[in-house]
Amino acid sequence: MSAQVESGFAAPVLNDYAALRSSFQWKDAFALLSGLPEHKGLNIAYEAVDRHAASALAQRTAIRWIRKDRTSRDFTYAELRELTNQFANVLEQLGIQKGDRVFAFTGRIPELYISALGTLKKAAVFCPLFSVFGPEPVFQRLSRGDARVLVTTLDQYDKKIKGILPRLPELEWVLLTDAETHLNGKVKSLALLMKDASPEFRIPVTLPEDPALLHFTSGTTGMPKGALHVHNAVVMHLITGKYVLDFHDDDVYWCTADPGWVTGTSYGILSPLVNGITNIVDEEEFDAARWYSILEDHKVNVWYTAPTAIRRLMRMSIKPRSQYNLENLRLILSVGEPLHPEAVRWAQQTFEVPVLDNWWQTETGGIMISNYRSMEVRPGSMGKPLPGIEAAIGEIKDSGIELINEPGKQGNLILKKGWPSMFRTYLHEEARYDKCFHGDWYVTGDLAYRDADGYFWFVGRADDIIKTSGHMVGPFEVESTLMEHPAVGEAAVIGKPEPTIGELVKGFVVLKPGQIPDDALKLDIIGFARKKMGAAVAPKEIAFVTSLPKTRSGKILRRLLKARELGLPEGDTSTLEQS
Ligand code: AMP
């Protein structure tokens, strides 16, 4: 299936993957950035805002913020420059130094975006937190991240912050976005501080290796880890915006991810702005009709979303192409979880545009493997590595990494270390960081294989792999098959210990509306999977559930399903979506 199912649109930015991959040089990519004008250096916020504000793009809408009530407010690049300067000046007045950590704990409101970019201008480190966290996960992250400033709202402050403040002696300032007056010497009104701050600010010397962003990732076990990124990452935000998201000059782009998750920062703030296009921000959560209306009303060209959203849309009866005018939509992309072939096919047929899955993780700072608009899409595959990125399949041996070159053979997905947006440490956990590397390779913790044509296929998280009757079964493969059954809306698969065969494959299934969850349907689904996959791999047990446990970023928490199934402790559930 070709990605080129669209017509009448400008040619893809990356129109020949193989040619670009062979000629690509990082120095050419860096040459597309401006650098700080007054001194040698690189600052993400300068690249994202100031250089455009000083160009013909000054009056272009940088961010269009859509409020919950559907009214909107546009911020031009020139305005954003002044507002982020004001925020940087606020930090300056509060005595914040280079490298200090500034956290934001708000919904998707303008202050979140202004504080992110203003913090980067001050050469401090920005760390966004999901607004739905309760007090304990917030405390964990603020204390592990040595927060000096927290930007939040009155409501969050009252409900979740006040109680943990005594345990956070290092946290010097709490800035409330919607307080009209300062509450006390420590808890201030951000609006008041901003009013008094100058809209002019001189970005201090910022070097490519200076820390910029901190993102906590839960991983599958243990406490959250703080992955630290540097200003050099901006080159990745720039080129992935061009080559993967296919940004063209006048594009309107919408990334549905919250900045509390790395995608919502790298691709919901930085990549579109660094590329000088218009970025849509929606304050509200998922709502199918609202989302389709946003695509229509704001003439969105490029839409970056997640498999969980696509699966939810699949289960609904809305026909977007006939009920909405989506003539501007050129491209849909998805990240965060495997995008099942069934979902790729549904979305391509429904929207009549290419739907491109891509792969990356908090630690990689930017997209590493992707499908491209100009390249044949193989539904279910993550695509091929970005130009400049070397990805491989390998086995970890005592002697180091042994590369697996045989097509179809699964192993660890590994990346040649040293790409610009690679994380530089796990904060305060150097040993944990070092463990991720073997020689020249970064080990991602995912299992995958590569086909004969160089496409990468996701198998599963190394710790989600099921060992049954001597077979290694990736949950993704089984879930993809279950999703092909006409009654199945969503599925997750785990290994349940079983003495004779090691682990038994068990599927948890959310049915499509109107289906009757009875034993006959269970048997039918098991029979369907057996026919497609063989008895050794197909689930032996099916349970019907009304929803699957997921993270706020939409990832199915298989380890939680397993812990619940076995009656084991649930571990860190701070990122669990409360439904
Ligand atoms: P996070 O660091 O929270 O963004 O999670 C990264 C993990 O999400 C990866 O290591 C994968 O396990 C999973 N992931 C992200 N994108 C994809 C994808 N396109 N296909 C399969 N798994 C993905």
Side-chain angles (χ1 to χ4, degrees), residues 266-497:
S266 289
Y267 295 99
I269 310 179
L270 303 174
S271 181
L273 298 185
V274 170
N275 280 286
I277 62 162
T278 296
N279 187 32
I280 300 280
V281 171
D282 183 23
E283 189 182 2
E284 192 50 284
E285 298 307 317
F286 177 88
D287 169 336
R290 179 184 173 100
W291 279 25
Y292 287 135
S293 300
I294 290 178
L295 293 174
E296 175 179 70
D297 295 349
H298 300 280
K299 300 185 170 40
V300 172
N301 306 109
V302 179
W303 186 33
Y304 197 13
T305 188
T308 175
I310 294 177
R311 290 194 299 261
R312 283 167 92 168
L313 295 174
M314 267 173 92
R315 294 206 296 271
M316 293 176 180
S317 53
I318 308 176
K319 303 258 172 299
R321 268 291 177 192
S322 50
Q323 290 172 247
Y324 297 86
N325 177 355
L326 303 182
E327 65 186 1
N328 295 288
L329 189 63
R330 184 174 76 238
L331 190 60
I332 300 176
L333 303 105
S334 162
V335 73
E337 264 212 307
L339 188 62
H340 305 86
E342 197 54 26
V344 176
R345 282 189 285 265
W346 173 84
Q348 299 215 135
Q349 270 158 21
T350 304
F351 293 97
E352 297 167 25
V353 298
V355 177
L356 307 180
D357 185 17
N358 47 74
W359 178 96
W360 60 292
Q361 48 180 203
T362 306
E363 288 81 350
T364 69
I367 299 166
M368 296 282 109
I369 298 176
S370 187
N371 289 284
Y372 306 89
R373 202 178 139 212
S374 55
M375 195 175 84
E376 178 205 351
V377 169
R378 297 190 175 170
S381 161
M382 309 186 284
K384 297 186 180 185
L386 258 286
I389 299 297
E390 206 177 318
I393 306 296
E395 206 173 320
I396 306 167
K397 294 272 166 86
D398 288 343
S399 52
I401 293 279
E402 202 172 282
L403 292 181
I404 298 175
N405 293 315
E406 201 181 314
K409 185 155 184 226
Q410 72 184 51
N412 293 280
L413 176 61
I414 55 177
L415 300 167
K416 182 68 90 45
K417 74 181 184 196
W419 70 95
S421 63
M422 186 178 89
F423 70 135
R424 296 301 195 265
T425 192
Y426 286 129
L427 206 62
H428 307 312
E429 295 188 275
E430 205 55 40
R432 204 169 178 184
Y433 180 75
D434 291 342
K435 267 201 183 148
C436 301
F437 295 88
H438 292 259
D440 280 348
W441 296 94
Y442 163 65
V443 179
T444 65
D446 284 351
L447 298 186
Y449 66 89
R450 189 173 36 193
D451 68 20
D453 301 312
Y455 284 79
F456 282 75
W457 298 76
F458 183 78
V459 173
R461 290 290 304 167
D463 31 23
D464 282 340
I465 294 299
I466 304 163
K467 294 171 200 94
T468 182
S469 305
H471 298 277
M472 302 282 272
V473 177
F476 174 53
E477 193 191 350
V478 184
E479 289 160 5
S480 294
T481 302
L482 291 176
M483 293 268 303
E484 285 172 26
H485 187 284
V488 175
E490 233 181 337
V493 164
I494 62 161
K496 177 177 158 186

Side-chain angles (χ1 to χ4, degrees), residues 120-234:
L120 293 171
K121 280 191 171 176
K122 181 70 189 83
V125 176
F126 184 73
C127 180
L129 298 177
F130 265 128
S131 61
V132 289
F133 281 153
E136 205 45 42
V138 175
F139 168 75
Q140 285 294 341
R141 287 160 177 80
L142 291 174
S143 68
R144 281 165 180 268
D146 316 307
R148 281 197 72 198
V149 179
L150 173 65
V151 177
T152 189
T153 61
L154 255 172
D155 185 51
Q156 297 276 47
Y157 173 73
D158 278 338
K159 290 190 183 140
K160 302 174 185 171
I161 304 298
K162 229 193 251 173
I164 57 173
L165 268 190
R167 287 195 283 154
L168 292 164
E170 309 283 311
L171 181 62
E172 257 180 289
W173 307 103
V174 179
L175 310 182
L176 301 179
T177 58
D178 50 353
E180 282 170 18
T181 53
H182 299 316
L183 262 59
N184 54 49
K186 178 180 184 132
V187 185
K188 306 265 188 193
S189 154
L190 178 61
L192 276 188
L193 295 173
M194 288 282 280
K195 205 160 77 145
D196 292 337
S198 161
E200 292 308 318
F201 179 78
R202 189 176 164 278
I203 298 180
V205 176
T206 320
L207 299 176
E209 285 301 308
D210 283 342
L213 295 160
L214 178 67
H215 281 288
F216 282 93
T217 164
S218 298
T220 45
T221 50
M223 294 309 285
K225 310 171 267 189
L228 190 68
H229 291 277
V230 296
H231 283 269
N232 225 17
V234 69

